[in-house]
Amino acid sequence: MDHAGLLFILTFLPVYMLGCALCPAKYRNIMLMIFSIFYIWYGSPLFVFAMAAAAVFSYVSGAMISRYRKKNRPQALRLLRITAGIYLVLLFVMKFLGPILTGLRSMGLSFLPDHFIQVPPGFTFLILACISYPADICFNRCDPERSAAQLLGWILHFPKLLCGPFVAKKEFTPGKDSRGVNIYSGLLRFAAGLFKKTVIAAKAYTLFMTVSTLQAGSSVLSAWTGAFAALTALYFELSGYADMAIGLSRMAGYVLPEEFRMPLASRDMKEFTERWSVTLQNWFRTYVPFGNTSVRTVTAILLTGLFYRPSLNGLAWGIILACTALLSKLIPERIPAVKRILLWAALLFSSVFILSPSFADALHYTAMMFFNASSFADALTGSLVFMNLIPAAALCAAVIPVLRPLFRRILNSDAAWIIPPAVILLFVFAVAAAVSGASMPFIFLRSL
Amino acid sequence: MKKKIRLATCVSAALLCGSLGVMNYYRAEGKPSFSVFSRASHEDTETWTAEEFFLKDTLREGYAALMQDTGSSGIGGVYIGSGTLIEQFADYDPAVLEHNISAVQDFAKEHKLNLVLVPTASQTEKRYLPLFAAGVNEKKLLESIREQIPDAVFADLLSTMASSGGYCYRTDPHWNASGAKVGYEVICRDILKHKASDFRFQTKSSSYRGPLLERTGAAWIEADEIEEIIPAHPVQLTVKYSDGTVSHSLYDENALETEDMYGYYLSAAEGKTEIETSVNTERNAVIICDDYALILVPYLTQEYSRLTIVRTGSYTGSLSTVLKDEGNTDIFMVMSLKNFCNEEIEFR
């Protein structure tokens, strides 16, 4: 179920809000688990048992590893390797085997099967949680959970399943705010994510696709405008979903970590990697245990790209950013402008690659940005910019972070009365966009 | 104060979403069957919720109005102009265009071809477009086509139609009776080299809500008129459609009861249609065309004793057999410029 989808907003969300408002604190985890099971069942009915079984297996392996971690460490490590191996094989088969076989079929190996198991939404983050739990126990980062329900509640926690943010078991604890404050602040955060997704990302993505599908070719300037739109669409789509997840968790009293910390305001690639998909990259840095810091950073970027989209496009996203990270280290600190230009060039090209329908389309588009264009500029460029002022303004606001402090000031001032009508209008807009066919499903819904 | 705002926000949002969800469940029609373990059934429910939403028309209208007011690039490939909807012509397939130019040039070498390419509404209704709307430069494109097909005689519609407006329907991408009349006058001026006959219009329906309305949801746009084109000197005629039906009128009154009222003109004839008229000019024409020509035919019946209309997309017979028929004096190709650039033409 898509967090920005009509069914989610009109049925799941109000019932969930009601549940959060009425459920006593001690039953909150049970309530969340019930909602999570319903959420997973709705997205992939047949996988609900498989996903629950994966969570139970994690509980059992965690308990066994905890028994050996002090008195027989090699045995604990062996058990961890077996557990992680099983999950990784499962992840490979479900998420990566299909794209690999499709690629091989397109290279002429037509005898390979063309129908694969469809990855259920949320499967990736479920596996990340299932691997991290026994690993944390093995390396004494957390103690085994006594209550299976508590563990299931964390692993199956539905807000984070679609695209994060990832939260480690020991950090998954309820906040201290009152129920009313939680629901209100959670709702505002959800609404902010919905706004990013339906108003900004959808429009920016349409703009990018308009340019990329121009059969007669685009001008150089239009192609660059489209690349900026691709970056806007990617950032606001992912951060919008992260905001919605954080908001939904907050409603139930849980505080998820931030996934995007104003990454577009970064001054160089190093800073960017610390601000973009923070929890996902941290997971890779923590649980993919080889190499020094630089190697881990590069590995984390590459794997993040593949997790966004398990294809050549995802790999290209990772390679572009990883190479830029390495190149950026060679540039002296005294010329920050060059570092920033390099970062933005990498962001634009990588966004084109990850959002283009295919790798060939991405190459064609990149060529249009330089030489393979119909002209340098045309009337379309101005039209694209001026008819998409909202995404353009949003991109500027993401680079120069002014909106968040402004929003905080409104919340704490007499002008806070505008919040209820603004939230209502936003929900009406989201519904109107959905029934007008103007909304789009999550870009990576099939691959996350 | 803060507590009240918190309560108002949460209660109003939950009530709004919940009540819309419940009302939609009870008021929308055609609920899909639901299966607990079928993902497809869940996806059907999601689709049904969006497509059969009980306030769909109102919400779509509001969304379209908002898009217009925020200077949006349009909805579903359609610009919401001032009082009219204009289909975007922002792109074409260069390979298709090249193929068509080559095919038409080869054809024009063997036959004396008159080429009538109808500019789109985004060119003729430019004044109604949103401020920063952009599209293909049709003037440049037409000049390029003209240069590459030197053996055909062109009717220069664009320069005449661009000077004024109101030549296209507000809710349908086709040209209307006035637009086709200008087309006829230009054909008389550039090809037939004589003065055009007089016509008047009689409104047959004022409630045509064309396909662009459905694509945008801009319900406030005024419905179009469907007009009968009445010549100053009426002629007798017999229309023989490809399915064997024979009629003595160019108009299909039944189409006025349907959604596609443009079918009023020649019943949206497909394949080959033959029209015998009582006009005694001893001139017969073959018109190779898309559906843009159907509204032009009433004007041409004043000029020809026989008209043979061949639709490029649907005629499966041999065009050369049609052309070999004795007595054909003129051959026209009438197409929308957009279709000419995007739909492959085959001369069999």
Side-chain angles (χ1 to χ4, degrees):
Chain A
M1 209 187 301
D2 188 346
H3 291 173
L6 210 48
L7 216 55
F8 185 90
I9 292 173
L10 296 186
T11 55
F12 193 92
L13 182 64
V15 177
Y16 176 67
M17 283 173 71
L18 195 67
C20 292
L22 299 179
C23 183
K26 62 176 178 178
Y27 298 121
R28 202 157 37 184
N29 194 50
I30 303 287
M31 179 206 80
L32 259 178
M33 204 166 67
I34 293 168
F35 274 102
S36 297
I37 288 173
F38 178 79
Y39 180 88
I40 296 167
W41 162 78
Y42 198 86
S44 47
L46 290 175
F47 277 99
V48 70
F49 301 111
M51 289 168 96
V56 170
F57 181 63
S58 189
Y59 175 76
V60 174
S61 64
M64 287 170 72
I65 288 168
S66 76
R67 188 185 297 173
Y68 292 112
R69 70 177 165 178
K70 281 180 186 152
K71 50 188 176 186
N72 189 354
R73 189 153 180 77
Q75 178 68 359
L77 281 171
R78 204 172 300 128
L79 273 172
L80 175 63
R81 283 190 200 110
I82 293 168
T83 308
I86 291 170
Y87 283 126
L88 288 175
V89 167
L90 207 58
L91 187 64
F92 177 79
V93 170
M94 299 284 282
K95 193 177 171 86
F96 296 101
L97 188 61
I100 289 172
L101 291 179
T102 306
L104 291 174
R105 274 179 65 84
S106 68
M107 288 162 70
L109 303 174
S110 54
F111 59 88
L112 292 169
D114 59 349
H115 286 91
F116 318 104
I117 306 164
Q118 217 174 21
V119 189
F123 183 76
T124 306
F125 274 87
L126 179 124
I127 293 293
L128 295 189
C130 286
I131 292 176
S132 72
Y133 174 68
D136 282 347
I137 292 173
C138 189
F139 294 106
N140 295 316
R141 285 193 286 254
C142 79
D143 289 323
E145 179 62 59
R146 286 171 184 274
S147 157
Q150 287 285 343
L151 188 74
L152 281 175
W154 165 68
I155 290 179
L156 302 178
H157 187 57
F158 81 90
K160 66 178 174 59
L161 277 183
L162 198 58
C163 68
F166 172 78
V167 57
K169 173 70 191 80
K170 64 175 178 183
E171 290 160 9
F172 188 68
T173 48
K176 287 173 185 164
D177 284 327
S178 71
R179 225 181 290 178
V181 171
N182 280 333
I183 297 176
Y184 174 68
S185 52
L187 182 66
L188 291 192
R189 192 67 191 263
F190 181 86
L194 194 64
F195 179 80
K196 285 181 179 177
K197 155 79 186 156
T198 53
V199 180
I200 302 168
K203 256 188 105 46
Y205 184 68
T206 309
L207 193 161
F208 168 66
M209 289 310 289
T210 303
V211 180
S212 71
T213 54
L214 283 175
Q215 294 167 310
S218 102
S219 68
V220 171
L221 272 184
S222 293
W224 280 89
T225 308
F228 275 98
L231 174 61
T232 311
L234 182 68
Y235 170 62
F236 283 98
E237 176 91 356
L238 292 174
S239 72
Y241 272 96
D243 283 349
M244 285 191 268
I246 291 168
L248 288 167
S249 272
R250 189 74 205 271
M251 284 181 201
Y254 287 87
V255 182
L256 294 185
E258 292 295 329
E259 184 72 343
F260 293 89
R261 293 180 182 150
M262 306 297 293
L264 300 187
S266 305
R267 282 162 297 184
D268 58 23
M269 198 64 207
K270 183 174 176 291
E271 195 180 340
F272 175 81
T273 53
E274 288 161 4
R275 291 170 169 228
W276 180 280
S277 269
V278 179
T279 64
L280 188 59
Q281 291 204 60
N282 276 344
W283 193 98
F284 292 125
R285 285 195 198 106
T286 310
Y287 299 104
V288 182
F290 56 83
N292 56 21
T293 315
S294 297
V295 173
R296 285 194 181 197
T297 302
V298 167
T299 311
I301 297 172
L302 286 173
L303 290 176
T304 303
L306 281 174
F307 268 68
Y308 282 162
R309 198 170 164 188
S311 64
L312 278 178
N313 295 58
L315 187 64
W317 184 90
I319 288 173
I320 292 170
L321 292 184
C323 290
T324 311
L326 294 175
L327 194 62
S328 187
K329 282 189 172 178
L330 303 175
I331 298 168
E333 292 295 330
R334 65 176 185 278
I335 40 175
V338 176
K339 287 196 171 211
R340 188 166 271 198
I341 290 169
L342 193 65
L343 167 69
W344 273 83
L347 290 181
L348 294 178
F349 290 118
S350 60
S351 303
V352 165
F353 270 89
I354 203 146
L355 289 190
S356 289
S358 70
F359 191 70
D361 289 331
L363 288 176
H364 174 69
Y365 192 99
T366 314
M368 275 200 310
M369 290 169 75
F370 290 103
F371 47 84
N372 193 19
S374 54
S375 59
F376 179 73
D378 56 17
L380 187 64
T381 313
S383 173
L384 288 173
V385 173
F386 287 104
M387 289 198 149
N388 291 280
L389 284 176
I390 294 174
L395 183 63
C396 294
V399 178
I400 310 158
V402 288
L403 285 183
R404 200 168 282 185
L406 186 72
F407 188 64
R408 282 209 185 106
R409 276 183 71 178
I410 291 174
L411 273 181
N412 295 316
S413 71
D414 291 342
W417 62 267
I418 64 163
I419 301 290
V423 170
I424 292 292
L425 278 177
L426 180 62
F427 276 109
V428 171
F429 179 84
V431 174
V435 298
S436 301
S439 65
M440 54 174 189
F442 181 43
I443 299 175
F444 307 124
L445 191 60
R446 289 282 172 246
S447 49
L448 273 168
Chain B
M1 176 70 176
K2 271 187 179 176
K3 204 172 176 182
K4 279 181 186 167
I5 288 173
R6 281 205 300 261
L7 192 69
T9 310
C10 297
V11 170
S12 55
L15 272 180
L16 173 86
C17 296
S19 55
L20 283 178
V22 171
M23 281 197 279
N24 189 53
Y25 183 78
Y26 286 106
R27 295 186 61 175
E29 291 166 355
K31 293 181 189 74
S33 58
F34 189 80
S35 164
V36 175
F37 290 111
S38 161
R39 187 171 172 170
S41 132
H42 297 182
E43 283 168 356
D44 287 348
T45 310
E46 185 94 41
T47 310
W48 169 80
T49 311
E51 287 184 355
E52 301 298 329
F53 196 75
F54 75 109
L55 289 175
K56 187 177 177 180
D57 290 343
T58 312
L59 286 172
R60 288 191 69 201
E61 188 177 351
Y63 183 79
L66 190 69
M67 289 297 107
Q68 187 190 28
D69 290 343
T70 52
S72 162
S73 50
I75 302 172
V78 180
Y79 283 123
I80 304 170
S82 171
T84 187
L85 300 173
I86 299 167
E87 193 175 43
Q88 294 174 358
F89 180 28
D91 188 29
Y92 59 88
D93 187 341
V96 171
L97 179 61
E98 196 180 327
H99 168 272
N100 286 351
I101 288 174
S102 165
V104 173
Q105 171 58 13
D106 290 346
F107 184 84
K109 277 180 185 166
E110 292 175 20
H111 306 91
K112 186 173 176 267
L113 179 69
N114 302 301
L115 195 52
V116 182
L117 294 176
V118 185
T120 68
S122 58
Q123 203 68 38
T124 63
E125 315 297 312
K126 231 174 186 170
R127 68 183 62 187
Y128 303 115
L129 280 170
L131 187 58
F132 292 104
V136 169
N137 184 336
E138 295 184 33
K139 191 177 175 197
K140 204 172 152 189
L141 186 62
L142 278 166
E143 277 168 10
S144 156
I145 295 170
R146 193 176 205 154
E147 279 171 16
Q148 294 178 69
I149 313 178
D151 294 322
V153 178
F154 273 77
D156 182 13
L157 292 186
L158 187 60
S159 56
T160 311
M161 294 179 89
S163 61
S164 188
Y167 295 136
C168 289
Y169 290 111
R170 290 181 289 270
T171 64
D172 183 300
H174 292 100
W175 53 353
N176 58 18
S178 304
K181 184 164 185 268
V182 173
Y184 163 66
E185 287 165 354
V186 172
I187 287 171
C188 287
R189 184 192 71 198
D190 294 354
I191 297 169
L192 302 177
K193 310 283 186 195
H194 64 67
K195 195 171 171 293
S197 303
D198 289 332
F199 292 85
R200 65 183 173 86
F201 304 135
Q202 186 184 346
T203 303
K204 302 299 288 187
S205 172
S206 305
S207 58
Y208 177 37
R209 301 176 68 75
L212 301 186
L213 269 186
E214 176 54 33
R215 276 162 65 179
T216 56
W220 69 88
I221 302 288
E222 203 182 328
D224 282 301
E225 290 89 32
I226 294 288
E227 289 163 319
E228 182 179 347
I229 299 156
I230 303 168
H233 306 289
V235 295
Q236 302 291 315
L237 40 84
T238 306
V239 184
K240 202 169 139 190
Y241 292 102
S242 56
D243 62 358
T245 317
V246 176
S247 168
H248 295 290
S249 169
L250 294 168
Y251 308 105
D252 179 5
E253 299 282 339
N254 294 331
L256 299 177
E257 307 299 322
T258 65
E259 278 185 13
D260 181 18
M261 289 194 195
Y262 187 74
Y264 176 67
Y265 302 101
L266 277 173
S267 302
E270 296 287 352
K272 186 177 85 168
T273 306
E274 290 171 306
I275 303 169
E276 301 278 352
T277 74
S278 58
V279 174
N280 191 16
T281 57
E282 295 184 354
R283 291 169 73 95
N284 303 323
V286 174
I287 303 173
I288 304 158
C289 62
D290 60 11
D291 60 354
Y292 274 67
L294 302 180
I295 196 169
L296 181 67
V297 168
Y299 298 101
L300 295 179
T301 53
Q302 290 289 297
E303 307 294 335
Y304 293 98
S305 305
R306 190 181 72 209
L307 287 160
T308 307
I309 297 148
V310 178
R311 290 285 300 273
T312 49
S314 57
Y315 181 61
T316 51
S318 162
L319 183 62
S320 51
T321 314
V322 175
L323 295 172
K324 271 178 198 159
D325 279 1
E326 283 182 13
N328 288 328
T329 52
D330 294 333
I331 302 170
F332 286 92
M333 173 173 258
V334 183
M335 282 188 89
S336 143
L337 179 61
K338 189 177 182 182
N339 289 345
F340 187 81
C341 294
N342 287 300
E343 292 174 10
E344 224 165 74
I345 303 165
E346 296 293 343
F347 292 102
R348 281 183 288 268

